Amino acid sequence: MAVSPATPPAAPRSGLVVLALLLVYVVWGSTYLGIRLALEGGALPLTTVSGARFIIAGTLMYAVLRWRGMPAPTRRQWRNLGIMGLTMLVLGNGMVVLAERTVSSGLAATAVASVPLWMALFGALRGQHASRGEWLGIAIGFLGVVWLNAGSSLTASPQGLILLLIAPVGWALGSVWARSLDLPSPFMTAAGQMLCGGVMLVALGLATGERPTTWPSMDGLLAVAYLCMFGSIVAFTAYVWLLQNVRPALAASYAYVNPVIAVILGALIGHEQFGAHDLLAMGVILAGVLVLTLARTRGR
């Protein structure tokens, strides 16, 4: 989810910055394994793992914000929040969840790590001209994406491959598009986006034949609860706080830390296997994102 950063305060306490970064790094990195565990526990991909999760998280955030006196979004802002929910949550998160039915959590996280590259490309197409260093990072990153998709275990799952190509494009398109939209405050934007996206995900799940006939296992329910509370509320709140208190490049560093966390957790807890090709391709993608981030930092 993309939120326009406010002007950062002069000197946020370093301890809070470290804590917020750890939450975004570890919790968001762990959500890929959480998705896999929820699916293995019998939770339906679109209606439960994505849709119900965002509806619950968005409702809780919206209720708290309104109780604290924050104004509700206008009709135009609700329309814009619907656009963000469609691009970032339905096309972004929803496609990742569907892909993880056949693709390991670590590979899914690695594919999604290309989001900053797509954001830079879409930004350039909208007139935000990239520097040579940024184009170099985009080129390196896309080389890694092609390498990952061409010869890794992703090729054994054509559907997963297509879904993991759509997901980062949808998330990046919504993130770039959101910069020109009339939106409420960052936290209300997050709540409204989750509500809109969650409703659309449930509707899409029902339209494609998902029907809850039995309850997920206890492990599946706990995984969905973890995704809802920690992935959609705690870590995202930390991310919004980072956007308001540190440089955007530091806040966006989750993009190349999350895949590492996801691969480690997938191997240790999920017993996922990764070949040398997968790890090398991941390294190239992360190198591209790092070059892009450093080029942007120097440019600013």
Side-chain angles (χ1 to χ4, degrees):
M1 288 171 244
V3 182
S4 300
T7 302
R13 288 189 292 177
S14 59
L16 291 178
V17 173
V18 171
L19 176 60
L21 285 172
L22 285 175
L23 286 172
V24 174
Y25 288 171
V26 177
V27 174
W28 270 1
S30 68
T31 55
Y32 294 92
L33 180 59
I35 290 170
R36 177 190 157 186
L37 295 177
L39 292 172
E40 291 179 349
L44 297 174
L46 296 177
T47 55
T48 306
V49 180
S50 286
R53 159 195 172 190
F54 286 124
I55 290 175
I56 294 171
T59 300
L60 290 174
M61 284 189 67
Y62 185 84
V64 170
L65 293 172
R66 293 290 289 140
W67 175 69
R68 292 176 61 87
M70 189 168 292
T74 63
R75 180 176 299 181
R76 179 173 180 174
Q77 289 173 339
W78 275 118
R79 183 203 66 183
N80 295 337
L81 291 171
I83 293 173
M84 293 177 64
L86 173 63
T87 55
M88 300 176 69
L89 298 187
V90 177
L91 296 181
N93 180 270
M95 299 306 103
V96 170
V97 173
L98 289 176
E100 283 204 40
R101 294 176 300 176
T102 56
V103 174
S104 71
S105 61
L107 283 179
T110 301
V112 175
S114 64
V115 163
L117 308 174
W118 289 106
M119 287 180 64
L121 181 60
F122 289 141
L125 294 175
R126 288 173 61 91
Q128 302 169 4
H129 300 294
S131 66
R132 290 183 180 179
E134 290 174 314
W135 280 117
L136 176 61
I138 292 172
I140 294 173
F142 278 122
L143 176 63
V145 171
V146 172
W147 191 8
L148 177 70
N149 293 335
S152 74
S153 53
L154 275 176
T155 55
S157 172
Q159 183 185 33
L161 169 61
I162 294 172
L163 293 171
L164 288 179
L165 288 174
I166 295 174
V169 172
W171 187 281
L173 179 61
S175 299
V176 173
W177 198 355
R179 296 173 184 173
S180 60
L181 296 178
D182 174 25
L183 296 170
S185 64
F187 288 104
M188 183 59 78
T189 293
Q193 180 182 349
M194 286 191 286
L195 281 171
C196 293
V199 170
M200 285 186 277
L201 283 161
V202 170
L204 179 60
L206 294 175
T208 54
E210 288 188 7
R211 294 293 185 273
T213 55
T214 59
W215 279 96
S217 67
M218 181 57 66
D219 289 343
L221 289 174
L222 290 175
V224 173
Y226 175 82
L227 292 170
C228 177
M229 180 58 64
F230 291 94
S232 298
I233 297 180
V234 174
F236 184 68
T237 301
Y239 178 62
V240 171
W241 185 87
L242 284 170
L243 287 176
Q244 296 174 337
N245 288 276
V246 302
R247 291 177 301 172
L250 180 59
S253 61
Y254 78 90
Y256 51 87
V257 177
N258 282 173
V260 178
I261 299 294
V263 168
I264 292 173
L265 292 178
L268 293 178
I269 300 177
H271 306 292
E272 296 176 353
Q273 301 294 321
F274 301 94
H277 180 282
D278 300 324
L279 297 177
L280 289 173
M282 180 181 72
V284 173
I285 293 173
L286 299 186
V289 175
L290 181 59
V291 170
L292 173 64
T293 303
L294 292 175
R296 283 181 168 176
T297 303
R298 291 172 182 172
R300 290 190 181 94

